[in-house]
Amino acid sequence: MGEASGSIYDSLRKKGVSRRDFMKFCSLMAATLALPVGGAAKIAEALEKAPKPTLVWLEFQDCCGNTESFLRANDPTVAQIVLDLLSVDYHETIMAPAGKQAEKSLYDVVKNQKGKYLVVVEGAIPLKDGGVYCTVGGRAAIDIAKEVCGNAMATIAMGACAWDGGIPGAAPNPTGAVGVKDAVKDITLINLPGCPANVVNLTGTIVHLLTFGSLPLTDSMGRPLFAYGHRIHDDCERRAHYDAGRFVQIWGDEGHKKGWCLYQMGCKGPETFKNCPAQRWNQGTSWPVEAGHGCIGCAAPHFWDTMTPFYKRIEQVPGFGVEATADKFGAGLAAATAAGLIVHRIARASKKKSSEEEEK
Amino acid sequence: MPKIAIDPITRIEGHLRIEAQVDAGQVKDAWASGTMFRGIELILKNRDPRDAWAFAQRI
C-alpha cells in the first residue's frame, strides 16, 4: 500500500531483487503470455520504465479464495514482484484502515485517479431486492461496482463469481447474483474465471497491459486466450492414458495408483479451457489432476450447474473411443481442432468489432 | 449516547459491520452484522451429496 511512485524496476531494486531474478520473472511472463522470441526483453524494457499502476480490489459475494490465490504467489521473489507491480490502495482483507478511513482510501483513488487505476473484482454482485444481499459501508455492491469500475482504466473480474455469478449465482440463485459483465455495462473488462483464478494469469494480464498498453486478446466470453485458449484435456499429462483407453474405474484402484486417466471418474478436462496443466498451483508444485482428482471445470460458464454432478462422466467427448480405431480418433481430433479454430475466429472477430467500436 | 458504526471491518475474511453505543469512552452496547448473504444452504439443496464438499468449502 502507498503512493505510486518510481518505476516498477526501481522499486524492485530497492527491495533487493537482483537483475537475474527480474529477468527470470520477465521470461516466466513471456512464456505465460506465449510471446514470440524477444518477448522477455520487451517486458523487461517496459517494466523498467512503467510507473506502478494503482489497483483497488473489491470484494462482494466472495469466499476470499481469489485473495488467497493472489497472496499465494509464494515464491519469495515472484511474490515481491507481483506485489510490487502494483500499488494496492484498497483491499479489505489486507488493509490496515477500517470503516470510514478504508472508504476514504477507495474513493480518493476514484476521485484523484479517474481513468488511470485498475480494479480487481472478486465475488458476485446480487441484484435482487435492490442489492441488499451485499453491502459495504452501507452501500450496495452494485452501486459501488458502477462507480468504481465505471471510472477505472480497466476492470479485471477475478474468479468464477465475478465472471458469471459463480456459486451465489448457482440454481436457484437466491440473491439474483450476477458477474461484473452483467452488472456494469460499457466498461473495459477482462475476465479471469476459475475457482479460484490463478495469480499467474492475473500477473500476466497486468504485465501485458503495462508492456503493450492493451489488454490481452480475449475469446467470445471475454477470457484472455493466453490463459483460456487451450483445452485442459489436450495439455493433460494423463492424456496418453485416455488415448490408450486406460481409465481409473474406482477411487484407489490399480489404475488410480498408476496415474491413469480420470475421465470415467467425472473429470471435466475435456470441456474446460484453462492453462492449469502448464501453470499448475502452489509455485508449480501440482494441480488437481496430478493430485489424483478430476478437473471440476471451474473455468467453464456456470460450472456449478453445468459441470455438476462433479463425479458423473461427461458424454460425447470428441475423440473418445480412440482405442477402438486410430481413424476414428483422427476424425474426432480433426473435428475438435476445427471447432477450436471456429471459436478462435469468433473471438478474434468480436475483438476486432469491439476495438472498432472503441475507436468510434 | 453517541452511536458509532465501523463498516467495513478489514483484515478479516467476509463482510462485517459493527455498531456500538459509546458512553464516556465506554462501549455500553454493540451489534455485529454480516453484510453479505449468498444462501449456500439453499443452493446445496437437491444436489448430488458427493458434491457438497466443493460447495460448502466456498463458504
Side-chain angles (χ1 to χ4, degrees):
Chain A
M1 316 244 170
E3 291 293 305
S5 60
S7 78
I8 293 155
Y9 182 61
D10 286 342
S11 157
L12 290 171
R13 286 306 294 255
K14 274 183 209 147
K15 296 216 169 143
V17 174
S18 68
R19 180 79 191 165
R20 186 183 159 80
D21 284 335
F22 176 67
M23 289 311 296
K24 266 165 71 182
F25 172 78
C26 294
S27 303
L28 169 75
M29 283 298 117
T32 304
L33 293 166
L35 298 181
V37 178
K42 200 159 184 185
I43 290 171
E45 200 187 331
L47 296 189
E48 277 166 14
K49 292 178 200 145
K52 284 168 72 157
T54 296
L55 180 139
V56 294
W57 186 294
L58 301 179
E59 287 175 80
F60 296 134
Q61 282 179 304
D62 71 324
C63 70
C64 214
N66 290 287
T67 294
E68 292 287 342
S69 179
F70 174 59
L71 299 174
R72 287 295 177 281
N74 57 354
D75 178 307
T77 315
V78 173
Q80 268 177 327
I81 293 171
V82 170
L83 292 170
D84 260 352
L85 270 176
L86 307 160
S87 174
V88 183
D89 284 19
Y90 182 87
H91 189 314
E92 284 159 30
T93 305
I94 57 174
M95 72 194 299
K100 289 198 166 58
Q101 289 88 351
E103 287 185 272
K104 186 177 184 301
S105 307
L106 176 61
Y107 294 110
D108 278 355
V109 171
V110 175
K111 203 172 88 188
N112 301 332
Q113 299 194 54
K114 193 174 156 93
K116 293 180 193 156
Y117 64 92
L118 296 171
V119 189
V120 171
V121 177
E122 174 178 11
I125 299 170
L127 299 180
K128 202 171 166 186
D129 300 332
V132 295
Y133 298 107
C134 181
T135 62
V136 181
R139 276 189 93 188
I142 177 68
D143 296 337
I144 299 170
K146 277 183 181 163
E147 181 177 354
V148 178
C149 301
N151 287 299
M153 170 170 61
T155 301
I156 302 168
M158 190 161 175
C161 299
W163 181 43
D164 67 3
I167 192 166
N173 193 353
T175 60
V178 298
V180 179
K181 64 186 166 70
D182 297 317
V184 190
K185 299 290 176 190
D186 302 319
I187 54 168
T188 307
L189 174 69
I190 194 158
N191 299 286
L192 303 176
C195 193
N198 196 321
V199 69
V200 176
N201 295 333
L202 174 68
T203 317
T205 300
I206 294 168
V207 165
H208 190 285
L209 185 65
L210 295 173
T211 306
F212 302 105
S214 65
L215 288 168
L217 270 183
T218 56
D219 65 10
S220 58
M221 290 186 272
R223 309 178 294 184
L225 287 166
F226 78 82
Y228 301 87
H230 283 251
R231 203 162 56 131
I232 286 189
H233 187 53
D234 294 334
D235 291 342
C236 181
E237 68 232 17
R238 297 188 186 220
R239 177 59 186 262
H241 294 298
Y242 174 90
D243 292 348
R246 290 190 291 264
F247 299 103
V248 177
Q249 309 278 350
I250 302 169
W251 298 116
D253 69 6
E254 203 52 31
H256 197 210
K257 285 175 192 159
K258 286 180 175 161
W260 288 1
C261 176
L262 294 156
Y263 168 72
Q264 298 206 7
M265 304 307 286
C267 180
K268 303 298 186 286
E271 289 188 348
T272 309
F273 289 76
K274 202 183 179 196
N275 56 358
C276 296
Q279 292 303 342
R280 306 144 81 85
W281 294 85
N282 296 329
Q283 210 181 326
T285 306
S286 187
W287 65 294
V289 170
E290 182 175 339
H293 191 281
C295 164
I296 61 168
C298 75
H302 299 285
F303 84 99
W304 293 103
D305 292 329
T306 58
M307 294 296 177
T308 49
F310 291 132
Y311 301 100
K312 185 172 177 269
R313 178 169 67 83
I314 49 174
E315 284 155 24
Q316 297 176 325
V317 177
F320 184 64
V322 260
E323 72 281 14
T325 66
D327 283 344
K328 202 173 157 192
F329 170 55
L333 188 68
T337 312
L341 284 172
I342 290 162
V343 169
H344 187 68
R345 282 198 202 110
I346 291 167
R348 286 186 64 113
S350 68
K351 181 74 194 170
K352 203 177 157 204
K353 201 179 156 208
S354 66
S355 62
E356 278 168 6
E357 278 166 6
E358 274 167 28
E359 281 164 18
K360 277 177 200 166
Chain B
M1 272 189 282
K3 197 172 178 182
I4 58 165
I6 307 171
D7 178 10
I9 301 284
T10 55
R11 283 157 288 151
I12 57 156
E13 187 270 310
H15 295 274
L16 182 67
R17 174 185 179 94
I18 297 286
E19 288 169 89
Q21 214 144 43
V22 186
D23 186 21
Q26 294 251 320
V27 174
K28 295 294 176 194
D29 207 350
W31 299 265
S33 337
T35 63
M36 187 271 278
F37 173 79
R38 290 170 293 174
I40 302 278
E41 297 86 347
L42 303 172
I43 293 163
L44 267 166
K45 269 188 182 170
N46 304 319
R47 290 185 186 262
D48 189 319
R50 293 172 300 171
D51 293 346
W53 67 268
F55 285 79
Q57 196 184 50
R58 266 75 179 178
I59 292 170

